[in-house]
Amino acid sequence: MPCLRGSVAFEDADTPVHTVLIPGLLCSARLYYQLLPIVWSYGGVTIADTRRDSTVTGMAQRLLAAAPGRFALVGLSMGGYVALEVMRLAQERVSGLALIATSARPDSPEQVASRREQQRAVAAGRFKELVEAVYPVLVDADTVARTDPADAWRTMALEIGPDAFVAQLEAVMSRPDSRPDLAATRCPTAVIHDTGDRLIAQERRRDR
């Protein structure tokens, strides 16, 4: 019978499990550096590459091609969109799923308009300005004034770069509605949201 130990799903608590971590929008592998020692203690770890595709399906297919036959899956924000697409394509390969600060809904017209504006800002050479502007919305209000997460955000954004960011925005805007597939999920699943999340309204967290 499947069981959960820590943040990693195990079908057999004594069997190592490979975990695939999927970064969020404009986030590099650095996003998970504090989590790596914990996850690695349970088995191998892969950080999914979300820099090379302009569709969520392409990102999911790239992940599946690189992953072992069976694995646990963790996705934050855009990483959650990719994780849900992996579940649609090959959920039989997923032993456990964690969805963090994400949604199964497609973008609303207002979100699409905002992302299009971000793409235009990047095209106009305002990438670094945009990175600074969006940061306060991404973190809890009590965290905005701290320099360490802000510095980490800037570093990750530069590691992703403007071209990959534009492609990621395109992928996010065109993603499918994953809500019809949620009921088919069979593996142990954790859905995690912080009360300070200002991007996903509390009522939308309940229905994903």
Side-chain angles (χ1 to χ4, degrees):
M1 181 176 180
C3 64
L4 288 174
R5 196 167 79 189
S7 61
V8 181
F10 283 80
E11 293 179 330
D12 180 339
D14 296 321
T15 301
V17 166
H18 190 101
T19 302
V20 179
L21 305 171
I22 317 173
L25 183 68
L26 204 51
C27 293
S28 68
R30 195 178 301 271
L31 175 72
Y32 290 112
Y33 82 97
Q34 290 183 316
L35 187 61
L36 285 176
I38 300 169
V39 178
W40 182 74
S41 70
Y42 295 115
V45 184
T46 300
I47 308 292
D49 187 352
T50 57
R51 302 167 297 169
R52 307 181 191 280
D53 299 284
S54 59
T55 66
V56 166
T57 299
M59 294 176 184
Q61 290 171 334
R62 186 179 298 275
L63 183 159
L64 287 166
R70 193 145 174 89
F71 51 89
L73 194 57
V74 178
L76 176 139
S77 186
M78 182 187 74
Y81 310 153
V82 178
L84 290 168
E85 183 67 2
V86 169
M87 295 298 291
R88 187 183 70 81
L89 295 174
Q91 78 154 300
E92 70 281 358
R93 293 177 58 184
V94 180
S95 60
L97 175 65
L99 300 170
I100 307 170
T102 193
S103 174
R105 294 170 176 263
D107 265 6
S108 67
E110 293 77 16
Q111 288 172 312
V112 170
S114 176
R115 298 193 203 278
R116 290 293 183 204
E117 182 57 34
Q118 290 178 342
Q119 287 182 324
R120 287 191 287 269
V122 173
R126 304 202 311 271
F127 175 67
K128 290 185 179 180
E129 177 185 328
L130 177 62
V131 168
E132 297 297 325
V134 301
Y135 173 74
V137 184
L138 300 178
V139 297
D140 189 287
D142 294 335
T143 305
V144 172
R146 287 177 50 190
T147 59
D148 48 336
D151 289 343
W153 166 248
R154 294 185 191 101
T155 300
M156 288 194 298
L158 291 176
E159 288 171 340
I160 296 300
D163 292 341
F165 177 51
V166 168
Q168 288 180 343
L169 287 171
E170 202 64 46
V172 167
M173 287 187 289
S174 63
R175 74 185 187 275
D177 187 343
S178 294
R179 287 175 295 174
D181 300 319
L182 293 177
T185 302
R186 294 292 176 263
C187 67
T189 300
V191 178
I192 303 167
H193 281 280
D194 187 270
T195 55
D197 189 333
R198 290 184 282 176
L199 290 178
I200 300 178
Q202 187 168 357
E203 62 273 13
R204 293 187 65 180
R205 298 172 204 167
R206 297 191 182 96
D207 67 359
R208 264 72 75 194

